[in-house]
Amino acid sequence: MKSLLLEQEIVAPSLTASRERVQVDGKFFRRGEERFRIEGVTYGPFAPDAEGHQFPAPDVVRRDFQRMRQIGVNTIRTYFLPPHWFLSLAEEEGMQILVDVPWPKHLCFLDRPDAQQEARRLVRHAASVGKNYSSLFAYSIGNEIPSDIARWHGAKKVERFISELYDVARQEDPHGLITYANYPSTEYLDLSFLDFLTFNVYLHDREAFTRYLYRLQHIAGEKPLVLGEIGMDTMRHGEEEQAEFIGGHLREARLLGLAGTFVFAWTDDWYTGGFQIEDWAFGITDRERNPKPSFHAVGDVYGRSPSALLNETPKVSVVVCSYNGGPTLDQCLDSLMKIDYPNYEVILVDDGSTDNTKEIVARYPEVRAIHQENQGLSAARNVGLYASTGEIVAYTDSDCFADPDWLAHMVYPFQRTDAAAVGGPNLTPEDGWVAACIAASPGQPTHVMENDQVAEHIPGCNMAFRREALESINGFDPAYWKAGDDVDVCWRLRHAGGWIGFAPGAFVWHHRRQNPRTYIKQQKGYGEAEALLRFKHPDQFNHRGDGKWRGFIYGAFLRGVQVEEPMVYRGTFGAGLFQCVYRPGSPHWLLLPGSLEWHGVMAAVGLTALVWSPAWLAAAAMLGLSAGVAVMQAAQARLEPRYESWRSRMMVARLCYLQPLARSWERYATRLRSFHPPHSQPVIIEGDARRLPLSGTYTVDYWSEEWRDRTEFLQEVVEFLNEHRWTKTVDTGWTNWDLEVFFHYWTALQVRTVQEDHGSGKRLIRVQYKLRLTRLAKLVGQVGGVAALVAVMFHSLPAALVGGAMTGMVMGAWLHGTNTASKVVKVFDGIARRMRFIRCTDPEAESEGPESSPGEMSGASMSDPPEEMSGASISDSPRDKVESGGN
């Protein structure tokens, strides 16, 4: 196959240092220091001239470029490599060019060596020409390989060949950008090695179009997403409908954070397959270049920033909480000062920093700084909330810096939906190879999606809330000092009936930990947060303490080890218009070798080897399996190509091995520490101890004549426990108790309340305390029982000693728990006195154990209430009151 491209003569380079080429900048592009938005149209193909070039004459091209610039077009997409004069003219007119490299993709090219060789030759030639021109924006090394051909060859082989073409272009032009123009029918192709993703999408329904853009943004991940073609035929739909369609779709794409769009096409003059096309008219100008209404619709969007396209710009309060964040704080605040949004404020909460935070923030008079003693991350975020004045409160961290369009993209989902909160991605900046390895390791903060638009969790470094929604759940829980506050607030928001949206274009750059030591420290902090979260949200965790996410965790490093091949929905006979990939999750058994429990068993086997040498083989096999899983995970992790080396992979493997151990260790350690109540006894819980009876169940009644409600009583108790950092679990709606307090790792105390209404504000509130064994105590008891059974059956003295010791431990723990639970009873008594409740003595409880304290009603009982209760009998039921006409 002879190519016209090879007939072009390569001229001397015209690229100068003063005219920089476009580069990737996160999910967008930049040229020099300026944001470069791809605002494009497709150009051609046109009927070939006498020399075989499928482009108009130079004077026509110049007029086209000038007309394009009038409506903000700055980039064109061509379907052939233009001649040199065309590239030079584009430089003169300030136009960028995305060049499609045509090769025989319509053939079963992987079965034909000549077709593959032709593709390599054409790509290499295009790159050798394009590298000389600053007007060459990028190369598209392929366009819409037919889905049946991709199915015929297999996705992996097609991906491998496109990757090979990428390498050919990169070797020839190291500084050029490279993409491939995909489409929905081969959406499943994994082309993450490209510099940016390009999709041709023709969806007339705007809501369907929006949903699909969300999906494509998740596929693109941290890469820019560009619409390679979007258009409508005016012969079938009319010019006015085309204008409304293009204007609305372009606006939607801009607000959803796409890096660029190409409208198909500039003109109705279109030649392909050896014929002039007469029965389609996709142009925004007609064949004589006369503008259609869509010409002006394009101009209404191109050239305008996302914030200028918003219908409204509500005030946003940006809150940054910092504790010794000096090394990155200056970069953070500087980025916030450059945000392109007309109505926002920045609040910095300095949570007791001892570094140079005060000096840094003093350089930014626009920033409202609040300095306080160290109270923890959640408390600092609440301070920022209550100091803010915006309708929307957005949070980021001092080790982040924001994209200029961050707030505009964050606000848009609030406008188009009733989401209570919105989050966005956090990208890894250029911090060197060690930080890149850490970014590719597990445990990074990220979003968890239930579907393409609804999130289950958004990371604290990039989240925003409607003020009223956040205040309705009382903000953040101060119990979380280091981490976990974002997970807790998302779960509580969802429990309250709200839902969380996602803004794929609203990203911040988030510095990862700079060395393995700080990374492991971060993971230990996450483990501590998970332990605290489990007390409050037990339904969200499994028995090992790992979170149970209903949604999908995005990011290759968070999917775990992939063993099974992904499944692709292709439609009947492979003819589906939207062919999606479904990736299976990591097998659960592969998580076991990396767990702390596995290593505990491994250590026990190793100790056994001291008396039975074959156990060394078992211990070695277990260690080898753990290391092998870590190596597999590291091999599948995605590293930046420039950092790809055996050293980097070994670093990632080491971190994959250590991360679950550090996280689990701290999770267990925190749970053990959290079982102990505070040693200091506040005044409010002074009084005689009321030890629970041996049955572990105890009921206390309180009388009130002031319309005090049991939920108010419970809330007072919870606030006290929060203030004094008692570990507890509050009913999530799925339990038959109200509160569970952990004061020992062997036992826990469940508290349940009920309320009797007796009219005229008189209420009886009953509180029942029930001691229970923890899972650990039950396990020890079960092992003791088995040991005792073995001792009886085999007359084994060691088994009898083990069984007796373990049974004694459980009994001692139960006795200790009945005594320790008195602290909780005293808390309720103290809160009751503060709320002016009268404690009634339960005869049953009185006979079993605790007696009334001097300040209580001596001799009063459930059936014999005091006369001063305004004549109301505690034995009267609410039904009796209603039937007798009482209030």
Side-chain angles (χ1 to χ4, degrees):
M1 177 180 177
K2 184 177 179 180
S3 173
L4 294 173
L5 298 174
L6 299 182
E7 297 177 2
Q8 298 190 36
E9 177 186 1
I10 301 179
V11 299
S14 64
L15 181 61
T16 63
S18 62
R19 307 198 68 177
E20 300 179 77
R21 298 179 75 175
V22 176
Q23 297 297 320
V24 170
D25 182 27
K27 290 184 68 65
F28 298 105
F29 300 100
R30 62 175 171 81
R31 192 174 190 186
E33 298 300 322
E34 300 294 326
R35 167 65 44 89
F36 187 84
R37 296 186 177 89
I38 305 302
E39 299 176 314
V41 294
T42 64
Y43 198 65
F46 301 98
D49 60 15
E51 299 178 357
H53 297 148
Q54 289 190 267
F55 293 93
D59 58 331
V60 175
V61 173
R62 184 182 295 275
R63 287 196 300 271
D64 284 341
F65 284 175
Q66 292 173 351
R67 294 292 297 279
M68 292 176 189
R69 298 296 293 176
Q70 292 177 10
I71 58 172
V73 173
N74 59 17
T75 311
I76 62 171
R77 177 183 177 186
T78 66
Y79 295 92
F80 292 91
L81 178 65
H84 294 289
W85 64 262
F86 190 100
L87 297 170
S88 298
L89 183 58
E91 286 192 345
E92 293 177 18
E93 298 294 334
M95 195 70 65
Q96 292 287 301
I97 303 174
L98 170 63
V99 173
D100 269 68
V101 181
W103 50 270
K105 60 185 181 299
H106 60 288
L107 307 177
C108 295
F109 52 89
L110 293 183
D111 295 335
R112 304 178 57 165
D114 59 330
Q116 298 172 49
Q117 186 62 30
E118 177 72 357
R120 297 187 194 98
R121 183 166 59 250
L122 293 172
V123 169
R124 182 178 297 108
H125 176 70
S128 67
V129 173
K131 68 181 180 181
N132 301 306
Y133 295 92
S134 64
S135 59
L136 203 296
F137 159 60
Y139 310 97
S140 175
I141 54 177
N143 180 51
E144 296 188 7
I145 293 174
S147 59
D148 58 330
I149 290 181
R151 178 172 178 252
W152 176 264
H153 292 309
K156 291 294 183 183
K157 291 182 179 180
V158 173
E159 293 164 3
R160 194 176 303 120
F161 183 69
I162 297 175
S163 177
E164 183 181 342
L165 296 182
Y166 175 90
D167 291 336
V168 169
R170 175 63 68 230
Q171 291 171 11
E172 191 67 36
D173 185 1
H175 304 294
L177 299 180
I178 304 168
T179 189
Y180 166 85
N182 207 349
Y183 72 130
S185 297
T186 54
E187 170 201 300
Y188 54 83
L189 293 176
D190 183 359
L191 305 177
S192 55
F193 52 84
L194 297 170
D195 296 321
F196 63 95
L197 269 65
T198 301
F199 267 82
N200 305 330
V201 179
Y202 291 88
L203 282 171
H204 289 180
D205 181 83
R206 191 167 302 165
E207 185 58 33
F209 175 75
T210 298
R211 291 196 301 268
Y212 195 62
L213 290 190
Y214 269 101
R215 178 172 181 81
L216 292 182
Q217 282 281 41
H218 288 301
I219 292 174
E222 296 190 358
K223 300 292 182 71
L225 173 64
V226 173
L227 281 186
E229 292 177 4
I230 176 176
M232 176 180 279
D233 176 28
T234 55
M235 286 188 176
R236 293 161 179 80
H237 297 277
E239 294 185 356
E240 294 298 331
E241 185 177 346
Q242 183 201 42
E244 181 183 359
F245 161 81
I246 289 179
H249 280 52
L250 290 182
R251 177 179 178 274
E252 200 73 12
R254 175 65 52 82
L255 289 172
L256 288 178
L258 270 70
T261 51
F262 288 90
V263 176
F264 186 90
W266 169 245
T267 175
D268 289 342
D269 182 7
W270 190 37
Y271 180 95
T272 187
F275 299 95
Q276 187 73 36
I277 304 302
E278 303 288 348
D279 59 345
W280 279 3
F282 276 80
I284 60 173
T285 66
D286 61 21
R287 299 179 191 280
E288 287 72 36
R289 306 305 203 267
N290 296 313
K292 298 180 183 178
S294 55
F295 176 91
H296 303 288
V298 170
D300 290 338
V301 178
Y302 282 176
R304 301 178 66 188
S305 67
S307 62
L309 294 174
L310 291 170
N311 294 329
E312 298 177 349
T313 53
K315 186 173 184 179
V316 180
S317 296
V318 179
V319 177
V320 181
C321 300
S322 178
Y323 174 70
N324 290 338
T328 55
L329 182 58
D330 194 53
Q331 184 185 38
C332 173
L333 296 180
D334 182 65
S335 71
L336 295 179
M337 295 299 100
K338 298 176 180 177
I339 288 180
D340 182 10
Y341 189 80
N343 189 16
Y344 73 102
E345 64 178 352
V346 179
I347 300 171
L348 173 76
V349 182
D350 174 17
D351 190 37
S353 298
T354 58
D355 61 0
N356 62 338
T357 293
K358 289 185 179 180
E359 290 77 8
I360 293 174
V361 73
R363 298 198 292 265
Y364 296 88
E366 306 93 337
V367 176
R368 180 182 174 188
I370 301 174
H371 303 281
Q372 64 180 26
E373 294 182 359
N374 183 245
Q375 299 179 31
L377 179 58
S378 291
R381 283 182 167 156
N382 283 335
V383 169
L385 167 65
Y386 298 125
S388 63
T389 60
E391 301 174 38
I392 297 171
V393 183
Y395 290 89
T396 189
D397 293 338
S398 59
D399 59 353
C400 300
F401 58 101
D403 179 75
D405 295 319
W406 175 49
L407 290 185
H409 292 308
M410 188 72 84
V411 166
Y412 182 55
F414 283 114
Q415 290 190 352
R416 68 180 299 270
T417 71
D418 61 350
V422 174
N426 62 104
L427 278 55
T428 306
E430 174 53 57
D431 283 334
W433 80 275
V434 174
C437 292
I438 290 174
S441 301
Q444 303 300 331
T446 189
H447 43 281
V448 182
M449 303 299 298
E450 291 196 350
N451 56 50
D452 293 329
Q453 298 185 56
V454 178
E456 182 179 1
H457 165 255
I458 48 179
C461 60
N462 188 8
M463 58 184 181
F465 303 86
R466 296 186 193 272
R467 164 184 289 282
E468 63 271 17
L470 190 54
E471 289 180 339
S472 70
I473 59 170
N474 299 316
F476 296 86
D477 188 339
Y480 303 99
W481 277 59
K482 301 175 183 178
D485 58 310
D486 50 354
V487 178
D488 172 69
V489 80
C490 288
W491 283 342
R492 286 194 292 122
L493 198 63
R494 291 165 55 84
H495 290 161
W499 66 279
I500 304 169
F502 191 72
F507 74 89
V508 299
W509 297 96
H510 189 189
H511 291 286
R512 310 303 177 187
R513 297 304 186 263
Q514 298 299 299
N515 56 66
R517 181 182 60 83
T518 56
Y519 166 73
I520 294 300
K521 182 179 179 181
Q522 177 197 44
Q523 296 305 308
K524 291 175 69 176
Y526 289 161
E528 178 182 348
E530 287 173 336
L532 296 176
L533 284 165
R534 187 182 181 186
F535 286 115
K536 190 172 182 180
H537 304 276
D539 56 309
Q540 297 286 158
F541 292 86
N542 61 23
H543 66 281
R544 291 182 53 245
D546 294 321
K548 297 188 297 186
W549 298 104
R550 291 186 294 272
F552 182 78
I553 302 178
Y554 280 85
F557 50 77
L558 291 165
R559 294 174 184 161
V561 180
Q562 300 294 301
V563 177
E564 301 178 44
E565 288 294 322
M567 298 176 60
V568 178
Y569 169 77
R570 302 180 184 275
T572 305
F573 306 132
L577 296 179
F578 293 84
Q579 301 187 14
C580 309
V581 63
Y582 296 89
R583 301 185 183 277
S586 178
H588 291 293
W589 65 267
L590 275 178
L591 301 177
L592 185 60
S595 66
L596 186 63
E597 295 85 351
W598 175 273
H599 285 74
V601 174
M602 187 195 310
V605 173
L607 291 174
T608 304
L610 296 176
V611 295
W612 188 56
S613 56
W616 284 115
L617 294 176
M622 294 178 71
L623 179 61
L625 184 57
S626 299
V629 170
V631 170
M632 289 173 60
Q633 190 171 2
Q636 295 178 5
R638 288 183 179 175
L639 273 170
E640 288 290 328
R642 60 183 177 275
Y643 297 125
E644 183 62 64
S645 68
W646 69 268
R647 183 177 67 162
S648 297
R649 291 292 173 182
M650 291 303 295
M651 168 73 81
V652 176
R654 174 189 169 196
L655 298 179
C656 288
Y657 184 89
L658 294 176
Q659 185 265 349
L661 299 180
R663 198 156 175 166
S664 295
W665 178 271
E666 192 62 25
R667 190 162 57 214
Y668 280 116
T670 301
R671 288 175 60 189
L672 292 177
R673 290 194 300 266
S674 299
F675 282 126
H676 296 281
H679 295 294
S680 61
Q681 300 299 327
V683 175
I684 195 170
I685 61 172
E686 286 184 349
D688 296 333
R690 292 179 173 82
R691 180 171 179 169
L692 265 66
L694 290 179
S695 65
T697 301
Y698 177 41
T699 302
V700 178
D701 301 330
Y702 300 99
W703 180 262
S704 173
E705 300 184 6
E706 300 178 0
W707 296 101
R708 307 305 289 267
D709 190 82
R710 72 179 184 89
T711 57
E712 182 184 359
F713 184 28
L714 286 167
Q715 188 60 43
E716 291 278 350
V717 173
V718 170
E719 289 179 2
F720 172 85
L721 296 178
N722 285 339
E723 179 183 356
H724 296 282
R725 302 182 65 78
W726 287 52
T727 304
K728 83 295 179 189
T729 298
V730 179
D731 174 31
T732 59
W734 298 94
T735 64
N736 61 354
W737 42 261
D738 301 316
L739 195 65
E740 190 169 45
V741 183
F742 299 89
F743 42 77
H744 193 271
Y745 48 79
W746 294 97
T747 54
L749 186 68
Q750 292 178 347
V751 183
R752 182 170 56 174
T753 64
V754 66
Q755 177 175 296
E756 296 181 1
D757 292 307
H758 293 271
S760 302
K762 301 175 181 64
R763 288 171 176 169
L764 181 73
I765 298 175
R766 311 195 69 192
V767 182
Q768 183 184 76
Y769 305 94
K770 183 177 182 181
L771 195 69
R772 73 165 181 87
L773 294 173
T774 62
R775 184 179 286 111
L776 175 62
K778 291 179 180 178
L779 178 62
V780 172
Q782 290 168 357
V783 173
V786 171
L789 180 62
V790 171
V792 171
M793 294 176 62
F794 299 100
H795 305 287
S796 170
L797 179 59
L801 293 175
V802 171
M806 290 188 169
T807 302
M809 290 170 61
V810 174
M811 293 177 62
W814 183 263
L815 291 174
H816 180 66
T818 61
N819 183 56
T820 311
S822 65
K823 297 179 180 180
V824 180
V825 178
K826 288 194 293 182
V827 168
F828 275 83
D829 279 349
I831 299 292
R833 286 196 299 270
R834 191 169 71 182
M835 297 179 67
R836 300 167 60 88
F837 287 178
I838 301 173
R839 188 177 191 275
C840 306
T841 302
D842 185 346
E844 180 181 352
E846 190 176 52
S847 64
E848 292 181 3
E851 295 182 357
S852 301
S853 62
E856 294 164 348
M857 299 180 303
S858 301
S861 69
M862 284 287 293
S863 60
D864 186 21
E867 293 182 358
E868 60 268 25
M869 293 183 180
S870 302
S873 171
I874 301 179
S875 61
D876 288 341
S877 69
R879 178 177 297 176
D880 295 334
K881 290 294 181 182
V882 172
E883 291 175 353
S884 64
N887 294 324

